[in-house]
Amino acid sequence: TQLLEQSPQFLSIQEGENLTVYCNSSSVFSSLQWYRQEPGEGPVLLVTVVTGGEVKKLKRLTFQFGDARKDSSLHITAAQPGDTGLYLCAASRAQKLVFGQGTRLTINP
Amino acid sequence: NAGVTQTPKFRILKIGQSMTLQCTQDMNHNYMYWYRQDPGMGLKLIYYSVGAGITDKGEVPNGYNVSRSTTEDFPLRLELAAPSQTSVYFCASSYSMQPSNQPQHFGDGTRLSIL
């Protein structure tokens, strides 16, 4: 079983649409990170959230940490083809990162 | 800055062969990590190191060995390659082991196939 469950696993939408992907767990975490990974490259950090209820914005991306620090969401407004990639959430456990299985996002022009 | 550099980028091995995956970083980070990424499974931690001369097992260490003789280098060794070790391997480094304070920086990966 995965400590972090991401949903959906795959998402394909048209350019300009909005979308939300989720990262859920039954465990409480001290912090949670979102990474984006493009083909042939390693993951790159997008954001770290540390406070329950925290909302962070990165241009058209909005990240939220759940009040109980067990879950997180990533919302993309007006998706663009450049947003295509694998989105990974990762949580801190015993000072090491545990990753979800990822959401593979495809934005069609 | 080069960041984290992994070599080779691709490799095909026969069952039972051995090889070393190289990883070097130029950011003077004390903490280094090896992950494997299988389709639909996210990244799993194999081994990690908190500094030169110190290594420890992660979630999936069986079949692998590591060493950390210098701050910059953290090679991963497969002694007897098995088909289950077919995967993409990522090396990462960070300034701190507190993810909330410092991000992990990843290399571009080594794609390894065992046939």
Side-chain angles (χ1 to χ4, degrees):
Chain A
T1 57
Q2 286 276 132
L3 183 65
L4 290 171
E5 291 285 346
Q6 290 190 242
S7 61
Q9 287 195 41
F10 301 92
L11 183 59
S12 179
I13 63 171
Q14 294 300 119
E15 181 177 1
E17 294 183 356
N18 302 333
L19 67 105
T20 302
V21 298
Y22 301 92
C23 176
N24 294 309
S25 177
S26 58
S27 300
V28 177
F29 298 106
S30 58
S31 67
L32 192 141
Q33 298 181 324
W34 285 93
Y35 288 79
R36 189 172 94 184
Q37 184 180 13
E38 302 196 22
E41 299 181 6
V44 176
L45 180 69
L46 295 174
V47 77
T48 301
V49 286
V50 297
T51 305
E54 182 177 5
V55 176
K56 282 191 174 179
K57 292 193 174 184
L58 187 65
K59 296 183 181 179
R60 293 175 293 99
L61 278 61
T62 302
F63 304 85
Q64 184 163 7
F65 201 12
D67 290 341
R69 290 184 287 127
K70 293 182 178 181
D71 51 79
S72 181
S73 63
L74 159 59
H75 181 81
I76 301 179
T77 303
Q80 299 178 1
D83 296 326
T84 292
L86 179 67
Y87 289 80
L88 296 160
C89 66
S92 175
R93 186 172 190 176
Q95 295 188 321
K96 293 184 282 292
L97 280 183
V98 176
F99 285 83
Q101 77 272 44
T103 291
R104 189 165 298 281
L105 176 63
T106 303
I107 309 301
N108 303 301
Chain B
N1 278 347
V4 178
T5 303
Q6 293 184 236
T7 56
K9 293 190 181 300
F10 304 95
R11 184 74 184 268
I12 299 174
L13 284 182
K14 294 183 179 179
I15 296 172
Q17 287 186 322
S18 62
M19 78 162 293
T20 300
L21 282 67
Q22 302 291 346
C23 175
T24 187
Q25 52 93 8
D26 62 0
M27 296 173 282
N28 202 33
H29 286 167
N30 282 326
Y31 302 92
M32 296 188 74
Y33 316 83
W34 273 105
Y35 295 90
R36 59 177 287 172
Q37 185 176 34
D38 300 315
M41 296 297 290
L43 283 84
K44 302 285 187 184
L45 182 64
I46 305 171
Y47 270 95
Y48 66 99
S49 170
V50 302
I54 306 170
T55 63
D56 207 348
K57 295 178 180 179
E59 184 181 357
V60 289
N62 291 343
Y64 307 95
N65 281 301
V66 293
S67 60
R68 186 91 183 272
S69 57
T70 67
T71 299
E72 295 78 20
D73 301 308
F74 190 39
L76 176 72
R77 183 151 180 89
L78 283 71
E79 290 292 351
L80 289 171
S84 62
Q85 293 177 304
T86 293
S87 189
V88 182
Y89 292 84
F90 287 98
C91 179
S93 72
S94 64
Y95 179 75
S96 163
M97 276 196 83
Q98 289 289 351
S100 59
N101 294 336
Q102 295 289 335
Q104 292 189 12
H105 298 264
F106 286 82
D108 286 338
T110 294
R111 186 175 296 273
L112 181 62
S113 294
I114 316 296
L115 304 177

